[in-house]
Amino acid sequence: MSRKTLPLPLLFIMKFPATSLLSACHTMAGAGEDITKTGNAIEKSADKHTP
């Protein structure tokens, strides 16, 4: 049996989008956490300054 392997440039072309999508997921998750923390801080400040 002979194993067929993908040419090296094709392998890089296939892996690049996958790695960039995975890193984008982590970036968006971090941005979501930052936005949540900011919203919580604004809400606490509003509650504190409401008569």
Side-chain angles (χ1 to χ4, degrees), residues 10-28:
L10 182 59
L11 187 63
F12 283 121
I13 290 171
M14 290 172 59
K15 282 189 174 185
F16 182 71
T19 55
S20 51
L21 284 175
L22 289 174
S23 65
C25 290
H26 290 294
T27 303
M28 291 306 294

Side-chain angles (χ1 to χ4, degrees), residues 39-51:
N40 289 340
I42 292 171
E43 187 176 354
K44 284 180 185 178
S45 178
D47 289 342
K48 184 177 172 182
H49 293 95
T50 301

